[in-house]
Amino acid sequence: MNLVQEGLALGIPAPDPDAHERPSAARIYRMWFGAEDAVPADQDLARKILNAFPREPAAAKINRSHHLLITETLAARGIAQFLDLGCGYALPRPQGGGDLLFAQNTHDVAQQHWRCATVVYADIDHDVVACQRSLLASAPTASRPTAVLADVTDMAHLLSRLEADGQLTRERPVAVLLHDVLPWIPDDAQAQESVAYLRTWLPPGSALSITHATPDFSPTWVKRVQDVYDDAGIAFRPRDRQSISNLFGDWADLYGGPVRMVPTARHQTRHQFSAVPDYISAAYASVAVKQPTS
């Protein structure tokens, strides 16, 4: 079964053959890290985003740094199963050396702590999954990561499939990474229902890490970016503090107490951009843990 057939079996439409003539948020994200293979439509939209919010590349790097730091933190705390939802493309390696930080992947970090860590990448974009599978086919790892085609708004189908295929087990905690994913689900009820199902399914000790764009720190600039995406036909839904906090239900913060809502650059003390103003993050980061039932 090829990737298109796999998607159709899951209810995910086949990719439009003209998709590369329209901009892609996933491809544009790679541009902020130096990717040079963007199509003209991506380049045009990227210029408009920069005009609306010149610090967008910095916000992307803040998000990616947090992703790698929290993966390391959760692995160091003993979690050896990771589900990277809305994983996006692997990021390009810098030409001629330079900082290789952003070229790391979730499995690179997790398997530094657990050589046989299970890592599942999931995305709804056929091209993203194809690229991830090509990359992972040659990954020199003890436990080969996998990439699956999935719609995170159909969380029940995704999780039952991963469990049935033996890709994840509910006998051990799972770390779920939902980083810069939910803003691309514009329906508030749909986003809440998907995450609520995820929380119910996950076993005790599991962690849920979310980063989410917000207008709370820079409402004018974030609204401008939202308008740019809307004009391009791409749904983008930043949310406020309370809306994002509701995604965690009654789970406790990773560090104890109620879930903290922190600008992404300041969530982890070792974040390389922790001193930047909050408006550059333009997003909240929160990490919560499922407590055992009494």
Side-chain angles (χ1 to χ4, degrees):
M1 181 183 296
N2 62 34
L3 195 55
V4 172
Q5 293 170 328
E6 180 182 332
L8 292 173
L10 298 170
I12 298 173
D16 186 332
D18 298 325
H20 277 72
E21 296 181 9
R22 294 187 298 276
S24 158
R27 294 195 304 263
I28 290 171
Y29 189 83
R30 292 184 78 243
M31 291 180 63
W32 309 140
F33 296 88
E36 298 178 351
D37 55 354
V39 300
D42 296 335
Q43 296 170 356
D44 181 61
L45 185 55
R47 283 192 293 269
K48 293 176 180 177
I49 293 169
L50 288 174
N51 285 336
F53 183 33
R55 299 303 183 91
E56 184 68 23
K61 290 172 183 175
I62 286 169
N63 182 72
R64 189 61 183 177
S65 292
H66 174 79
H67 177 95
L68 299 172
L69 279 172
I70 207 64
T71 299
E72 180 185 10
T73 297
L74 295 174
R77 284 176 168 247
I79 297 181
Q81 294 189 101
F82 287 80
L83 176 56
D84 190 344
L85 291 175
C87 60
Y89 290 98
L91 298 180
R93 300 181 73 85
Q95 299 297 315
D99 188 356
L100 293 174
L101 171 68
F102 298 122
Q104 293 184 90
N105 299 288
T106 306
H107 67 273
D108 295 321
V109 177
Q111 292 180 347
Q112 288 175 11
H113 289 271
W114 301 100
R115 187 166 176 267
C116 293
T118 298
V119 179
V120 179
Y121 297 95
D123 205 285
I124 196 171
D125 188 310
H126 290 73
D127 191 53
V128 165
V129 174
C131 290
Q132 287 283 5
R133 287 181 177 176
S134 177
L135 172 71
L136 297 175
S138 58
T141 61
S143 177
R144 193 169 306 286
T146 56
V148 300
L149 196 62
D151 182 351
V152 299
T153 66
D154 189 1
M155 196 68 74
H157 192 178
L158 167 61
L159 295 174
S160 63
R161 179 163 51 105
L162 293 178
E163 186 175 17
D165 292 347
Q167 293 172 292
L168 291 178
T169 175
R170 299 172 74 185
E171 296 179 1
R172 294 181 285 114
V174 180
V176 179
L177 310 175
L178 263 171
H179 295 161
D180 189 31
V181 175
L182 298 175
W184 308 102
I185 302 175
D187 187 305
D188 292 341
Q190 197 172 50
Q192 289 282 350
E193 288 168 8
S194 294
V195 179
Y197 188 95
L198 174 65
R199 294 198 314 268
T200 300
W201 184 90
L202 288 168
S206 295
L208 174 60
S209 177
I210 294 175
T211 64
H212 199 302
T214 183
D216 290 359
F217 312 126
S218 51
T220 300
W221 281 352
V222 170
K223 181 61 168 62
R224 288 175 181 168
V225 172
Q226 186 174 5
D227 289 344
V228 168
Y229 277 120
D230 284 346
D231 289 344
I234 298 174
F236 177 59
R237 177 81 161 88
R239 294 183 170 93
D240 62 20
R241 179 191 184 97
Q242 189 58 55
S243 298
I244 302 169
S245 179
N246 291 342
L247 294 165
F248 292 95
D250 61 356
W251 285 26
D253 192 83
L254 175 65
Y255 299 108
V259 176
R260 299 177 306 137
M261 303 292 296
V262 184
T264 307
R266 293 199 287 112
H267 189 277
Q268 294 293 294
T269 56
R270 294 182 295 121
H271 199 295
Q272 62 176 320
F273 300 115
S274 60
V276 305
D278 293 346
Y279 76 87
I280 298 179
S281 289
Y284 285 113
S286 298
V287 186
V289 176
K290 186 171 186 175
Q291 304 301 306
T293 55
S294 55

